């Protein structure tokens, strides 16, 4: 069976989701997991945009083995130089050069004529080719570009040395049949197209990113660009898990294969959700909490008699196991470590120590610790790296009638000093936010707050995701605890720590 190449851009396009910014250490963790998942190419970032982005791409190129490591660049020498510098340590580096080609972009954004666009695109590819062999080129807003001009651009950049040509539906405007035709027409009208891999990059503004990507594959595209959980600019990118599971489930129709180990899908989905603070909607295809839940009596009855009556994929195929009761208060460090190994987590000594302390604290409050709880603990450890502030204490008074919510919060700073403040607010969460804001000296504006239960039961672990606004940017924070008030305070502190890192950068 023919192979479809999976190009993951979670760390580049995905990170462009509002509030989803990731620290370098988080990016490396995600990249390592992407390698385990089996993606063919990791687009690790856009090196020219910031020192942090450059550093992340450079470290991923050095440390992550397996996939091709790619850096994005505009068709400008300084962009390309920076991208080349960042990816050069990878065993298999790639530079991805892009330049807009549609009339709207030429006229309003670039103010350049067609000939000028072709010249710049060719120069960009040639410049990148001076560093490495593997060059991808994207005519940005391709789906809204005049077809004849698009063919001319593609022919020219392949002649200049591009080895992958990516056709982006940058604004999510295309409709599947139309997008499939575009791909077929490119193959029919670009004489040297067989010298490059044809790729697509679809956005989800009309909810059609996956459909458009699949239509493109059926029409002859052999690389798909996508993100975990479909995160990305605006309504997001095509979701990796949807494309891969569609190709797998409908092998009969597509006749293609990918290099993805689908049993790793659930794990990477959770990791990306935890790290970015982008909560997955319950009804999201493949990875939503309800994706394998059967509610209607007739459906339940059918599934009990024969799974395939209402199940086209198994939960196990994406690595979802039934929630086993594993550990409790009496479980020791060895049992905890073994369970982590079973769940295929690789923690270093320091991370393991902290995770074990969290585990013991949770086991004091909660009788049975499930895999989901352990997953929550580990993900919490993964994102507390490099923390400036640490929550020491939180206490609230609230209720009816007519009681003003008051929060007292104590936080330990980098020098080990514990600062305590009390504040009132419109509600307990508001009061916590104001107290923390007073401690760190930043006015914190809460724009989003959500609470979820990690596992079932009255002693379930609560997961709080928040978004704070500061410096004109959004910062996601996440906290877990059996007490949602404590989890809320942890989420605030987590978001504040990200803010501090961002200010330092
Ligand atoms: Zn994009």
């Amino acid at each position: 069976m023919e192979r479809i190449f999976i190009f993951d851009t979670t760390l580049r396009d995905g990170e462009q989701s509002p509030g989803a910014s990731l620290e370098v250490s988080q990016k490396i963790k995600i990249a390592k997991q992407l390698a385990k998942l089996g993606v063919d190419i990791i687009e690790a970032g856009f090196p020219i945009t910031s020192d942090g982005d450059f550093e992340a791409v450079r470290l991923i190129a050095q440390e992550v083995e397996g996939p091709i490591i790619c850096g994005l660049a505009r068709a400008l020498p300084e962009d390309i130089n920076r991208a080349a510098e960042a990816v050069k340590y990878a065993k298999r580096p790639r530079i991805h050069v892009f330049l807009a080609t549609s009339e709207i972009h030429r006229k309003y954004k670039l103010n350049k004529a067609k000939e000028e666009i072709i010249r710049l695109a060719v120069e960009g590819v040639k410049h990148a080719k001076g560093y490495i062999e593997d060059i991808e080129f994207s005519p940005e807003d391709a789906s809204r570009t005049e077809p004849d001009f698009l063919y001319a651009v593609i022919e020219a950049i392949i002649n200049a040395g591009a080895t992958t040509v990516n056709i982006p539906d940058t604004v999510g405007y295309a409709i599947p049949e139309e997008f499939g035709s575009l791909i077929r027409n490119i193959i029919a009208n670009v004489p040297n197209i067989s010298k490059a891999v044809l790729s697509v990059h679809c956005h989800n503004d009309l909810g059609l990113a996956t459909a458009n990507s699949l239509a493109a594959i059926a029409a002859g595209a052999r690389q798909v660009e996508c993100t975990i959980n479909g995160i990305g600019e605006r309504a997001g990118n095509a979701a990796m898990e949807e494309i891969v599971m569609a190709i797998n489930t409908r092998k009969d129709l597509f006749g293609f294969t990918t290099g993805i180990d689908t049993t790793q899908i659930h794990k990477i989905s959770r990791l990306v959700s935890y790290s970015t603070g982008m909560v997955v909607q319950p009804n999201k295809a493949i990875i939503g909490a309800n994706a394998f839940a059967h509610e209607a009596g007739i459906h339940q009855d059918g599934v009990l008699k024969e799974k395939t009556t209402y199940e086209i994929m198994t939960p196990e195929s994406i690595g979802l196991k039934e929630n086993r009761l594993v550990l409790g208060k009496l479980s020791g460090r060895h049992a905890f470590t073994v369970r982590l190994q079973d769940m295929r987590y690789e923690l270093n000594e320091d991370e393991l120590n902290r995770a074990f302390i969290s585990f013991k604290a949770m086991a004091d409050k909660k009788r049975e610790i499930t895999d989901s709880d352990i997953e929550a603990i580990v993900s919490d450890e993964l994102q507390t790296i490099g923390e400036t502030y640490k929550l020491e204490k939180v206490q609230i008074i609230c209720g009816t009638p007519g009681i003003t919510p008051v929060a007292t919060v104590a936080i330990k700073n980098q020098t080990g000093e514990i600062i305590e403040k009390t504040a009132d607010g419109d509600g307990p969460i508001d009061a916590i936010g104001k107290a923390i804001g007073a401690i760190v000296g930043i006015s914190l504006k809460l724009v989003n707050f959500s609470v979820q239960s990690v596992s079932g039961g009255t002693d379930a672990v609560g997961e709080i995701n928040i978004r704070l606004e500061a410096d004109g940017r959004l910062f996601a924070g996440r906290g877990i605890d059996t007490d949602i008030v404590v989890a809320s305070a942890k989420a605030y502190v987590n978001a504040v720590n990200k803010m501090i890192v961002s200010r330092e950068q």
Side-chain angles (χ1 to χ4, degrees):
M1 261 188 287
E2 222 181 320
R3 168 88 165 255
I4 300 295
F5 296 108
I6 302 295
F7 177 114
D8 183 278
T9 184
T10 305
L11 298 176
R12 203 277 300 166
D13 213 328
E15 207 217 0
Q16 283 173 231
S17 312
S21 61
L22 296 164
E23 287 175 39
V24 174
S25 60
Q26 291 179 309
K27 287 188 184 180
I28 293 167
K29 294 264 181 203
I30 291 173
K32 286 186 173 164
Q33 196 56 41
L34 286 169
K36 272 194 200 164
L37 178 72
V39 305
D40 297 286
I41 303 107
I42 294 175
E43 185 162 59
F46 192 171
I48 191 86
T49 53
S50 73
D51 289 344
D53 231 42
F54 174 85
E55 200 52 17
V57 178
R58 190 180 67 83
L59 287 169
I60 289 169
Q62 274 174 341
E63 292 180 23
V64 178
E65 281 178 36
I68 292 170
I69 307 298
C70 175
L72 185 68
R74 288 169 298 182
L76 299 169
E78 58 270 32
D79 274 43
I80 294 164
N81 296 345
R82 198 83 175 128
E85 179 68 25
V87 297
K88 74 176 176 196
Y89 297 102
K91 270 204 185 104
R92 292 187 296 155
R94 174 182 293 187
I95 300 174
H96 179 187
V97 181
F98 76 96
L99 179 64
T101 51
S102 67
E103 192 185 359
I104 299 173
H105 282 236
R106 292 195 314 262
K107 197 168 155 190
Y108 297 105
K109 191 177 90 175
L110 301 171
N111 193 22
K112 286 187 168 42
K114 285 180 176 174
E115 305 70 42
E116 182 76 353
I117 295 288
I118 293 195
R119 188 180 65 78
L120 289 171
V122 165
E123 276 176 11
V125 170
K126 283 188 173 161
H127 188 76
K129 203 77 179 172
Y131 289 107
I132 51 180
E133 263 308 300
D134 187 346
I135 305 299
E136 172 165 332
F137 180 83
S138 289
E140 191 190 0
D141 206 16
S143 55
R144 293 194 299 172
T145 300
E146 306 92 312
D148 286 337
F149 178 55
L150 185 62
Y151 307 149
V153 172
I154 296 172
E155 188 178 353
I157 57 105
I158 292 176
N159 280 336
T163 43
T164 298
V165 179
N166 177 51
I167 306 302
D169 182 25
T170 306
V171 289
Y173 181 73
I175 302 295
E177 226 181 82
E178 177 192 37
F179 198 60
S181 297
L182 174 65
I183 299 302
R184 258 187 298 275
N185 288 335
I186 288 171
I187 294 170
N189 290 288
V190 177
N192 55 0
I193 194 71
S194 62
K195 289 186 186 157
V197 173
L198 192 51
S199 165
V200 289
H201 175 111
C202 298
H203 276 272
N204 208 28
D205 297 70
L206 293 172
L208 294 170
T210 299
N212 283 332
S213 304
L214 294 173
I217 291 173
R222 289 296 173 265
Q223 174 183 290
V224 194
E225 303 200 354
C226 45
T227 61
I228 304 299
N229 301 344
I231 63 170
E233 280 279 0
R234 307 182 308 279
N237 288 60
M240 188 281 302
E241 62 279 4
E242 293 177 13
I243 290 169
V244 169
M245 290 312 282
I247 292 172
N248 270 24
T249 307
R250 297 307 310 276
K251 267 199 181 96
D252 60 318
L253 185 77
F254 289 107
F256 293 132
T257 180
T258 70
I260 300 293
D261 173 2
T262 64
T263 64
Q264 295 285 327
I265 286 178
H266 172 70
K267 195 165 164 187
I268 185 113
S269 165
R270 298 303 292 150
L271 176 63
V272 169
S273 174
Y274 287 148
S275 311
T276 57
M278 302 276 290
V279 177
V280 174
Q281 81 205 49
N283 59 324
K284 167 82 176 61
I286 319 293
I287 47 152
N290 296 347
F292 293 95
H294 302 280
E295 185 70 22
I298 295 172
H299 290 209
Q300 287 177 349
D301 183 54
V303 170
L304 286 173
K305 284 174 177 151
E306 168 54 45
K307 279 193 172 179
T308 54
T309 49
Y310 288 99
E311 232 172 58
I312 58 165
M313 312 164 264
T314 64
E316 293 78 21
S317 66
I318 63 154
L320 206 56
K321 283 178 214 123
E322 229 162 84
N323 236 333
R324 302 203 276 132
L325 301 176
V326 279
L327 303 171
K329 201 175 172 160
L330 300 174
S331 307
R333 192 190 165 92
H334 179 69
F336 181 66
T337 313
V338 168
R339 191 66 209 125
L340 284 179
Q341 280 161 359
D342 283 353
M343 292 169 78
R344 294 207 263 172
Y345 280 113
E346 287 164 21
L347 301 188
N348 63 34
E349 200 54 30
D350 185 40
E351 288 165 349
L352 183 66
N353 287 339
R354 285 184 295 151
F356 186 65
I357 292 168
S358 304
F359 165 74
K360 281 311 236 185
M362 188 186 279
D364 272 341
K365 294 189 225 163
K366 190 173 185 299
R367 218 154 41 85
E368 297 156 339
I369 309 282
T370 65
D371 283 0
S372 312
D373 295 327
I374 293 180
E375 195 182 81
I377 291 171
V378 173
S379 63
D380 219 37
E381 285 315 314
L382 297 185
Q383 63 168 9
T384 50
I385 296 154
E387 64 183 12
T388 311
Y389 293 107
K390 195 171 182 318
L391 181 72
E392 284 291 312
K393 179 186 119 180
V394 56
Q395 192 174 32
I396 56 163
I397 302 165
C398 64
T400 53
I403 295 172
T404 304
V406 175
T408 300
V409 181
I411 286 177
K412 194 198 275 182
N413 69 15
Q414 248 168 341
T415 59
E417 185 192 357
I418 295 174
I419 311 161
E420 185 173 309
K421 296 261 181 198
T422 298
D424 56 27
D426 294 333
I429 304 303
D430 187 45
I432 289 172
K434 289 201 170 114
I436 293 175
I439 293 170
V440 300
I442 305 172
S443 163
L444 307 173
K445 191 179 162 212
L446 181 68
V447 289
N448 210 304
F449 178 92
S450 79
V451 54
Q452 283 176 301
S453 159
V454 171
S455 47
T458 50
D459 62 355
V461 170
E463 174 185 341
I464 305 284
N465 278 285
I466 63 166
R467 273 169 209 285
L468 299 179
E469 198 184 309
D471 309 335
R473 284 182 61 195
L474 287 174
F475 295 90
R478 176 176 170 275
I480 60 151
D481 200 276
T482 50
D483 182 326
I484 58 164
V485 169
V486 178
S488 303
K490 283 182 179 171
Y492 261 101
V493 172
N494 180 230
V496 166
N497 282 332
K498 286 187 185 169
M499 255 175 222
I500 309 273
V501 169
S502 142
R503 282 188 174 179
E504 282 166 359
Q505 278 178 4

